[in-house]
Amino acid sequence: MQLYTKKFIKMFQGFSSRRVGENMSIHRLSTGFHAVCITALLLSISGLAVAQDTLKLGTLVTLSGPGAAWGAAMKNGAELAIDEVNALGGLDVAGKKYKVELVAYDDKYQANEAVTAANRLIFEDGVKFMIGPMGSAPAAAVQPITEKNGVITIMMAFTPKALGADKPYSYRVVATTLEMSQPQIDWLVRTQGIKTVGGLFPNDETGQSIVVDLKKSYSQAGADLAAVELFERDRVDFVPLLTRMLAKNIDAIELDGNSPVTAGLIVKQARELGFTGKIVRTAGPATVDIVNVAGKDAAEGMLVHTPLSLERPSTKAYIDAYAAKYNSAMNGFSPSFYDGTKMLFEAMRRAGTVTDSARVSQEMENLSNFEGALGTLNWTGKELYGIDHQLDFPFYVAKVVDGEEVILATCSVEACE
């Protein structure tokens, strides 16, 4: 860079000196001109250096509509992890510091929008690492593109089809119904007397796969998912569906699979119809958002899944950091994507590259006993999916009391106690 700078300085000095004898004002003009050009050149060169030291991380999530709380949870979790490394001068990989830049797109929880956004991230923005997709249908639509182009995705898609030996670049950092439902449902049936359950589920890949898993889990626990209603994601009036479902004398409503806003509407409308039974949610942390929509009175006594324990210092620290940055309570999914992003950064450090996603993915797979906001993290999933790309971490059953979660049971994939 110094060599080229000196050449340009000499060129402009030569130009100005030839004009000195002709006209002093022209000399001043040319001197000013060459100073401006040299400055512009230096800025241009330094700009290139900065661009070369920037690592772009994409987010392909839902930022509008009923699923926006989940999308914000994913994006904000990644942002907090990025803030940490940038505050230290950047991500240190192979002795070089990279400023991490987040490039975010809204997929509107729609498969076609997700495909458009993925193409922009990969082919226009040059992204090789992505937080998202969010949702099973967007994931199914996007994976042929991301896998073909070696783009690592850290997703939230509950369908079992999201992971597989044929998808080496796809990772899931949230536990799904398939991992979590049985121990929680066993506990609910055993301790809460739940026998006959009804559920409203989105009529898409997510909802349809959850219905299959829940039917099996409730049956195995000695209960019955006796009433199932499917609906389109943009629906807001659930009174007709709830009326039909309540006529079957159910003693509990299952909310698994519903976005936070949708779940809140179901709770509110069920209570307005006079339902006094249990309302449970065995996957998908969203208590804060559900209470905000349904109101404290309607949400009182709900039994919910949560990955959060305030008794864990790392979790409490993350919750405080989130509140300080965003001035709001967080969705329970957020720490998963903070942890997932930090795991990705550690994989890059170990691989010694921010461009070779195949090497980064190998190091990502090899991470074990990683200490994150949610506790000690490990990859699992080989038995269920053919590949260990499913994150394993502690989780809990909590009761909503005055709008807050009170933990009743600590769970693993084996049991809740």
Side-chain angles (χ1 to χ4, degrees):
M1 185 175 81
Q2 291 177 344
L3 175 62
Y4 285 109
T5 302
K6 289 178 180 178
K7 286 183 178 181
F8 274 91
I9 291 173
K10 288 181 179 180
M11 181 182 73
F12 285 111
Q13 285 177 334
F15 172 78
S16 61
S17 63
R18 287 196 299 271
R19 309 301 296 171
V20 169
E22 298 177 10
N23 190 302
M24 185 59 71
S25 65
I26 295 178
H27 167 69
R28 291 194 186 97
L29 178 62
S30 64
T31 302
F33 174 71
H34 89 251
V36 170
C37 288
I38 292 170
T39 301
L41 174 67
L42 291 171
L43 289 172
S44 175
I45 293 171
S46 65
L48 286 173
V50 170
Q52 291 169 349
D53 294 341
T54 298
L55 167 65
K56 289 185 178 181
L57 180 67
T59 61
L60 176 53
V61 297
T62 302
L63 298 174
S64 59
W70 283 343
M74 297 169 71
K75 181 179 73 68
N76 294 349
E79 279 183 348
L80 283 169
I82 289 169
D83 287 350
E84 286 186 11
V85 297
N86 283 343
L88 298 174
L91 181 66
D92 194 340
V93 178
K96 188 173 183 178
K97 294 271 192 175
Y98 293 86
K99 179 182 178 182
V100 184
E101 174 188 338
L102 191 67
V103 183
Y105 290 116
D106 181 6
D107 68 8
K108 303 176 184 177
Y109 222 154
Q110 297 175 14
N112 60 333
E113 294 282 351
V115 169
T116 300
N119 281 319
R120 288 182 64 185
L121 280 169
I122 297 167
F123 301 114
E124 296 181 23
D125 298 307
V127 163
K128 296 292 287 185
F129 310 98
M130 184 188 302
I131 304 301
M134 177 186 140
S136 299
V142 162
Q143 280 182 311
I145 305 168
T146 56
E147 290 293 336
K148 179 180 179 180
N149 290 280
V151 176
I152 292 178
T153 60
I154 299 176
M155 68 176 68
M156 184 171 76
F158 272 35
T159 174
K161 299 175 185 177
L163 298 180
D166 59 335
K167 302 178 179 73
Y169 293 99
S170 298
Y171 293 82
R172 185 163 57 205
V173 294
V174 296
T176 74
T177 305
L178 190 56
E179 286 84 39
M180 298 184 301
S181 64
Q182 196 63 61
Q184 291 180 103
I185 289 171
D186 287 344
W187 184 89
L188 288 167
V189 172
R190 184 175 76 249
T191 66
Q192 304 299 310
I194 292 174
K195 292 298 181 184
T196 307
V197 185
L200 295 86
F201 305 94
N203 190 20
D204 56 20
E205 177 68 28
T206 299
Q208 292 160 12
S209 63
I210 285 174
V211 168
V212 173
D213 294 336
L214 286 178
K215 276 184 173 292
K216 180 179 177 182
S217 292
Y218 275 107
S219 176
Q220 187 170 322
D224 182 20
L225 183 62
V228 171
E229 297 285 347
L230 299 175
F231 61 88
E232 299 307 312
R233 283 274 182 188
D234 57 355
R235 184 166 187 143
V236 294
D237 177 13
F238 298 97
V239 171
L241 305 183
L242 283 165
T243 301
R244 189 160 59 232
M245 194 167 68
L246 297 182
K248 296 185 179 180
N249 296 318
I250 59 173
D251 52 39
I253 294 175
E254 168 70 72
L255 297 176
D256 186 3
N258 290 293
S259 69
V261 171
T262 299
L265 290 172
I266 292 171
V267 172
K268 185 175 187 293
Q269 293 171 28
R271 294 306 191 203
E272 288 173 346
L273 286 172
F275 179 68
T276 59
K278 305 286 187 183
I279 297 181
V280 303
R281 184 176 177 88
T282 53
T287 301
V288 171
D289 307 291
I290 292 172
V291 172
N292 287 341
V293 175
K296 283 186 179 181
D297 289 343
E300 186 71 13
M302 279 179 55
L303 297 163
V304 298
H305 159 83
T306 180
L308 308 176
S309 171
L310 295 181
E311 294 181 1
R312 187 181 297 279
S314 59
T315 303
K316 179 66 165 58
Y318 180 79
I319 292 171
D320 291 344
Y322 189 100
K325 180 175 177 66
Y326 299 106
N327 196 31
S328 65
M330 67 173 194
N331 177 274
F333 275 128
S334 189
S336 293
F337 292 91
Y338 168 81
D339 285 344
T341 304
K342 293 196 71 172
M343 294 176 81
L344 177 63
F345 290 158
E346 179 61 23
M348 291 178 188
R349 293 188 190 101
R350 296 188 183 191
T353 178
V354 299
T355 56
D356 189 339
S357 58
R359 285 168 57 191
V360 173
S361 187
Q362 289 175 354
E363 293 298 334
M364 189 84 157
E365 287 182 352
N366 292 334
L367 291 176
S368 63
N369 296 323
F370 186 90
E371 292 301 324
L374 293 175
T376 303
L377 313 176
N378 286 285
W379 295 112
T380 185
K382 183 84 170 181
E383 183 177 344
L384 287 174
Y385 309 112
I387 194 168
D388 283 331
H389 282 197
Q390 169 65 54
L391 198 61
D392 182 27
F393 51 87
F395 57 97
Y396 313 89
V397 177
K399 184 176 183 178
V400 178
V401 179
D402 194 28
E404 302 289 335
E405 293 178 346
V406 177
I407 290 176
L408 301 181
T410 300
C411 305
S412 68
V413 293
E414 283 81 27
C416 294
E417 301 294 343

